[in-house]
Amino acid sequence: VPGTLSVYAERVVGGNYLDFKIDRLAIARYGLTVGDVQDIIQSAIGGMDITTTVEGLERFPVNLRYGRELRDNVESLKRVLVPTPRGEQIPLGQLAKIEITKGPPAIKSENARLNAWIYIDLTTSDVGTYVERAKKAVDKNIKLPPGYSIVWSGQYEYMERAKKKLQVAIPITLVVIFLLLYFYFKNIKESLIVMLSLPFALVGGVWYIFALRYNLSVAVGVGFIALFGLAAETGVIMLVYLNMVYKRMLREGKIQSVEDIHKAVIEGAVLRVRAVSMTVGTTMVGLMPVMFIKGAGSQVMRRIAAPMIGGLVTSTILTLVIIPVIFAIWKSRVLKAKENVNAEKVNEKDA
């Protein structure tokens, strides 16, 4: 698979194990149980802690078992004596079959299932795309026996967990932004107009991420969440002043036609060019040094700042151009609707 630097698979065979297969019929003839024989194997061969020695503040367990010369080969183990309830000493070779078998050098388990690990080093930082390609390659070329399964772990597993959290966090963020806007404007239409600045911001953030060749990650997701808040802020600044000028001219009776609405929108938008530019400019000036710092954590900080820097550029341009246009269209339709209602009332009176 492209992007693979190296692969290392753990050895699943190569370990030597000494197996004691107890003959139940043989031990029954001597009045022994499986536990009796296992106790001798555990204590005489494996070793058992019988006490603890105290040396000052230190504690050391005292382990008792046969000397090495009495347990260093299979024939010696067969001569290990097992006492019976009648006082007889029976060699272990008459009660169990002792043999050396091959097995894994180390036994690992997870979720009560044995497992073996394959470690993969990548030449790319795009872990998600690599794993998707690797999954297809494995499914195509490897047929797993019944009872076997493959789980992709490591950075990919962390990325999947973070992805699931972002799938919840981003919609919640958008809902919270909309609710805060609605509580402020007390109007769904005005709240939706401000929300339109978020896609504009998304455009610049995506292009800047693409230009820097950053992959989608948790840090990038956090950057986009912060960008949505900044974009909504610039949209609110513009809409507040458009409303302010429009209401003032409405009170003065200067809103009589669509051309009057255009004049009000132009006046309100021009008043906010400097405020919006300064707000965005100071934010970008504060974020730009992050893109040049080096050291621990700098890569994460760059991926958080990059969406905000790119998104603020397009958000500012489109906010200054698009929101006034949408506001003018909305107010023009409201004015035309009022004119139609007034015309209907006049016709009713004439009739």
Side-chain angles (χ1 to χ4, degrees):
V1 176
T4 305
L5 178 63
S6 63
V7 180
Y8 168 73
E10 287 184 339
R11 296 178 62 189
V12 294
V13 294
N16 294 319
Y17 289 85
L18 190 62
D19 286 348
F20 295 84
K21 297 182 179 179
I22 299 174
D23 188 343
R24 294 175 180 269
L25 292 178
I27 64 174
R29 285 196 293 267
Y30 296 104
L32 296 170
T33 64
V34 173
D36 295 333
V37 180
Q38 288 179 339
D39 287 341
I40 298 299
I41 296 173
Q42 178 185 358
S43 58
I45 302 173
M48 178 180 291
D49 293 341
I50 58 173
T51 186
T52 301
T53 178
V54 180
E55 298 182 11
L57 297 178
E58 298 176 340
R59 305 290 188 272
F60 300 98
V62 178
N63 188 277
L64 180 65
R65 62 177 175 176
Y66 281 5
R68 182 175 297 276
E69 68 279 1
L70 300 176
R71 53 180 175 82
D72 58 358
N73 58 74
V74 175
E75 294 302 322
S76 297
L77 293 175
K78 289 181 179 180
R79 292 194 291 270
V80 172
L81 299 177
V82 179
T84 67
R86 294 177 294 188
E88 300 168 330
Q89 300 289 331
I90 309 300
L92 185 59
Q94 298 182 17
L95 304 175
K97 182 180 179 181
I98 305 174
E99 59 183 11
I100 296 176
T101 58
K102 292 290 185 180
I107 299 176
K108 292 184 178 180
S109 66
E110 186 174 342
N111 295 328
R113 298 184 65 185
L114 299 177
N115 62 47
W117 289 78
I118 299 175
Y119 299 92
I120 306 174
D121 292 323
L122 308 181
T123 59
T124 175
S125 59
D126 188 3
V127 180
T129 302
Y130 176 86
V131 172
E132 293 302 322
R133 293 176 179 173
K135 283 182 177 180
K136 293 179 181 179
V138 170
D139 294 338
K140 181 180 179 181
N141 297 284
I142 297 178
K143 302 300 181 184
L144 295 177
Y148 284 74
S149 62
I150 295 178
V151 176
W152 299 84
S153 186
Q155 295 182 10
Y156 175 75
E157 191 174 21
Y158 300 144
M159 185 189 72
E160 288 295 300
R161 292 176 184 173
K163 182 180 178 181
K164 291 180 180 178
K165 291 181 179 179
L166 288 176
Q167 288 175 346
V168 177
I170 292 178
I172 290 177
T173 301
L174 297 177
V175 171
V176 170
I177 291 174
F178 178 79
L179 290 176
L180 291 175
L181 293 173
Y182 178 76
F183 293 153
Y184 177 77
F185 290 110
K186 300 294 191 298
N187 190 306
I188 293 180
K189 292 181 179 179
E190 293 182 352
S191 302
L192 290 175
I193 290 175
V194 176
M195 291 293 290
L196 285 175
S197 61
L198 303 189
F200 303 152
L202 188 64
V203 171
V206 171
W207 275 108
Y208 195 48
I209 291 295
F210 176 77
L212 295 175
R213 296 186 178 181
Y214 290 163
N215 298 314
L216 185 62
S217 62
V218 178
V220 172
V222 172
F224 276 113
I225 292 175
L227 172 62
F228 292 155
L230 293 173
E233 179 185 357
T234 57
V236 168
I237 294 173
M238 175 59 70
L239 190 59
V240 165
Y241 272 78
L242 291 175
N243 263 327
M244 183 182 69
V245 175
Y246 176 81
K247 291 178 180 179
R248 176 174 58 80
M249 294 182 65
L250 193 63
R251 287 194 305 268
E252 296 173 355
K254 296 181 179 180
I255 303 296
Q256 301 297 332
S257 63
V258 175
E259 288 74 16
D260 296 333
I261 293 176
H262 291 171
K263 292 179 182 178
V265 169
I266 291 173
E267 182 180 345
V270 169
L271 286 174
R272 285 296 89 194
V273 169
R274 179 180 297 177
V276 172
S277 301
M278 290 300 295
T279 301
V280 175
T282 53
T283 304
M284 292 183 63
V285 169
L287 291 174
M288 285 303 294
V290 177
M291 303 301 298
F292 301 102
I293 61 174
K294 296 181 180 180
S298 60
Q299 293 183 349
V300 176
M301 294 304 298
R302 288 195 201 110
R303 283 159 175 77
I304 294 176
M308 290 190 282
I309 294 173
L312 283 175
V313 174
T314 55
S315 174
T316 303
I317 296 173
L318 296 174
T319 296
L320 293 173
V321 176
I322 303 298
I323 288 184
V325 173
I326 296 175
F327 184 85
I329 294 172
W330 173 40
K331 293 300 181 182
S332 299
R333 290 183 177 180
V334 172
L335 181 62
K336 290 179 180 178
K338 288 182 178 179
E339 291 177 351
N340 292 333
V341 171
N342 293 332
E344 289 178 358
K345 289 181 178 179
V346 171
N347 292 333
E348 289 177 359
K349 288 179 181 180
D350 293 342

